Amino acid sequence: MLAFTLVAAVTAATTGALTFREARTGVLQQSQDAVIQQLRAQVGRLAPNLAFPPGQGELGRLAGNVARADPSGSWRVLVTYGGLSATSIPGDPFQELTPALRGSVESSMATVFQRVAAGDRTALVVGMSVTFAEAPAKGVYASGIHVFLTVPQTTERAYVDALVTAAERAAVPALTLAVLLALLAARGVLRPVRALRRATRSIAEGHLDTRLAVDGSDELADLSHTFNETAAALEKSVAELRGMEARARRFAADVSHELRTPLAAMSAVTDVLDEDAARLDPDTATAVRLISEETVKLARLVDDLMEISRFDAGAAVPHLDEIDLAESLRRTLDARAWTGPVDADLPAPGALRGLVDPRRLDVVVANLVGNALRHGARPVTLRLYEAGEPGGARFAVIEVLDSGPGIPDDVLPYVFERFYKSDAARTRTEGSGLGLAITAENVRVHGGTVRAANRPEGGAVFTVRLPLPADEPPREDQW
């Protein structure tokens, strides 16, 4: 629109300027020709009756007679002969006459003219020589009498000003009409483009059933048709993927559920075999212990799969309770005999309370600390503190730090994905590959966040932020 408006304005201005120049030239040329023709006719009529050589009185009468040729009385005439001069208005200094014009008249017998500006006024100055015909065969000769005429161009200036006003009055409506037409034309193009933009945003927001109305047969209609085809194909593909994902989740949940009964029986058998392993021969005892360990791993994997299935099905509902967070973390360490290998940096009892699900918080801390003990190096530190934001939000921050080699940069984005293992960071262990994924889901149902990073001094750090109730303002010593 800006480009079109600029082009329309330049076009209107250029057209108006050219039209104005041609009209102005025509007006001035017509006025100039009329004055010169009238002056020549008047001088030609009066010159034969002029005594020669003329005296001062003769020059004055000639000037007055020439001036009276204009009915409006706007002519001012100067007549010169040698050192004599007379004007139609006594005492007129005739300032409009320039030396250049006087020289041109004195050096030739042609009629010359010049436009002279004096302040805000413009005048036409015409000069001519009076000639005499000696005989038809001998031609003409200069008499030495020069006639100069000054005519104010007030009327012509009024015409020119009227032309400017007319051009302005014509240009503004023309430009306005051009802009309105451009708006109508642009609207016809931009309306389907805006519809396409809205449809694209709707698709991005997940509304895959969005379609465009196809009108006409131009390029925009083809684009709308192509968009509808693409959206339909995308909707079909996403529906298939969602169906496959739902079937996969249902399959994992069904398999996990079906495995629980035989695993319970296998666990009971392996418990009995473990009790009698000391009385068996070494090879049999080793096989029994191997079966027992793998059964425990399989049972843990089934439990993790069942937990993931509940998250996928949206059945994982936290049972919130206001508890002492530091005491909950201490119980997690005590229950797994981690008070020795883990340094606990916790606030005093009762200093920090939060509304959480105690069981899920225990799973989060146990998974993070266990992961640090298995894949990092000691010392492992567990920290708990309160943080606040300028907006007034309060968070309980749990950090688990180890002193190991850290997590490779190419692994960091995937540590919370299911079954993800890196050869460099996570060799085969008793883990199921679901611990960190379950941790992330448990933090998410609390409305918090979990992040993995590497410390500058070495080792990995996992940071959990859980929102705290906003009714109690944070203390200044905890900011």
Side-chain angles (χ1 to χ4, degrees):
M1 279 301 303
L2 290 176
F4 184 88
T5 303
L6 180 61
V7 171
V10 171
T11 302
T14 303
T15 304
L18 293 176
T19 304
F20 167 74
R21 188 183 67 176
E22 294 297 325
R24 177 178 177 274
T25 302
V27 169
L28 296 178
Q29 185 70 39
Q30 181 180 4
S31 173
Q32 165 195 310
D33 293 344
V35 170
I36 292 175
Q37 183 178 1
Q38 190 176 359
L39 175 62
R40 284 177 174 174
Q42 184 71 353
V43 172
R45 184 176 64 84
L46 297 174
N49 300 324
L50 183 65
F52 191 83
Q56 183 71 31
E58 291 291 331
L59 296 179
R61 283 190 294 272
L62 177 60
N65 292 331
V66 172
R68 282 191 289 271
D70 179 28
S72 63
S74 61
W75 282 16
R76 293 164 44 226
V77 180
L78 169 66
V79 180
T80 63
Y81 176 74
L84 302 176
S85 64
T87 58
S88 59
I89 301 175
D92 188 353
F94 223 87
Q95 296 178 351
E96 294 85 357
L97 180 60
T98 62
L101 182 62
R102 183 188 290 271
S104 298
V105 173
E106 292 176 352
S107 62
S108 68
M109 292 186 293
T111 301
V112 296
F113 66 91
Q114 184 180 23
R115 293 188 184 91
V116 179
D120 59 347
R121 296 178 299 172
T122 304
L124 175 65
V125 183
V126 183
M128 62 176 295
S129 297
V130 177
T131 59
F132 291 102
E134 187 176 33
K138 293 183 178 181
V140 297
Y141 65 93
S143 64
I145 302 174
H146 306 298
V147 180
F148 299 96
L149 168 65
T150 298
V151 181
Q153 295 192 302
T154 306
T155 304
E156 290 77 4
R157 185 180 183 87
Y159 288 158
V160 172
D161 292 341
L163 286 174
V164 174
T165 303
E168 291 177 351
R169 292 178 178 176
V172 172
L175 183 59
T176 303
L177 179 60
V179 171
L180 291 177
L181 293 176
L183 283 173
L184 293 176
R187 183 181 180 185
V189 176
L190 294 179
R191 184 169 56 250
V193 174
R194 293 192 183 101
L196 179 61
R197 181 181 61 185
R198 290 192 296 268
T200 304
R201 288 180 178 176
S202 179
I203 290 287
E205 293 172 356
H207 305 290
L208 301 181
D209 57 344
T210 303
R211 298 293 184 272
L212 290 173
V214 181
D215 297 324
S217 59
D218 55 5
E219 290 80 0
L220 291 174
D222 293 340
L223 179 61
S224 300
H225 182 70
T226 303
F227 175 86
N228 291 339
E229 292 179 346
T230 304
L234 179 63
E235 183 181 16
K236 180 180 179 181
S237 300
V238 171
E240 293 177 353
L241 290 174
R242 288 175 177 172
M244 294 172 60
E245 183 181 8
R247 288 192 295 272
R249 290 175 178 176
R250 186 165 57 252
F251 174 76
D254 293 343
V255 169
S256 301
H257 181 75
E258 294 298 328
L259 285 176
R260 298 191 72 177
T261 300
L263 275 176
M266 291 174 61
S267 297
V269 173
T270 54
D271 290 342
V272 174
L273 292 177
D274 285 339
E275 294 177 357
D276 298 335
R279 296 190 296 270
L280 300 175
D281 60 90
D283 292 339
T284 304
T286 301
V288 167
R289 284 191 290 270
L290 178 61
I291 291 174
S292 179
E293 292 175 359
E294 294 300 325
T295 301
V296 171
K297 292 180 182 179
L298 184 58
R300 185 179 298 114
L301 175 61
V302 170
D303 289 339
D304 289 344
L305 286 174
M306 290 292 295
E307 185 72 8
I308 286 292
S309 299
R310 283 191 287 270
F311 284 118
D312 291 340
V317 180
H319 300 284
L320 302 179
D321 190 12
E322 185 176 353
I323 63 173
D324 184 347
L325 298 180
E327 182 62 26
S328 177
L329 268 59
R330 289 190 183 94
R331 285 198 299 267
T332 299
L333 298 180
D334 292 341
R336 293 162 179 81
W338 286 343
T339 54
V342 176
D343 297 331
D345 183 7
L346 306 176
L352 183 59
R353 301 181 65 84
L355 192 64
V356 297
D357 186 329
R359 184 186 70 83
R360 296 187 185 280
L361 180 61
D362 176 77
V363 172
V364 169
V365 176
N367 282 341
L368 293 180
V369 174
N371 185 76
L373 292 173
R374 286 193 301 269
H375 306 297
R378 299 182 183 181
V380 174
T381 304
L382 174 63
R383 294 178 182 171
L384 172 64
Y385 58 91
E386 180 181 346
E389 292 183 350
R394 302 169 55 230
F395 296 93
V397 181
I398 302 172
E399 289 183 345
V400 178
L401 308 91
D402 64 61
S403 304
I407 305 173
D409 293 337
D410 59 335
V411 176
L412 273 175
Y414 310 105
V415 293
F416 295 105
E417 291 189 2
R418 302 173 184 180
F419 298 108
Y420 183 82
K421 291 185 179 182
S422 170
D423 293 336
R426 298 182 62 185
T427 57
R428 172 170 172 78
T429 65
E430 69 275 10
S432 64
L434 293 173
L436 292 180
I438 293 175
T439 297
E441 293 291 345
N442 278 312
V443 172
R444 183 184 60 81
V445 297
H446 282 88
T449 60
V450 59
R451 183 175 63 91
N454 289 316
R455 297 193 295 161
E457 61 271 22
V461 55
F462 287 82
T463 305
V464 176
R465 288 167 59 93
L466 299 176
L468 294 175
D471 54 349
E472 179 183 353
R475 294 184 300 276
E476 293 182 358
D477 58 348
Q478 293 178 333
W479 281 80

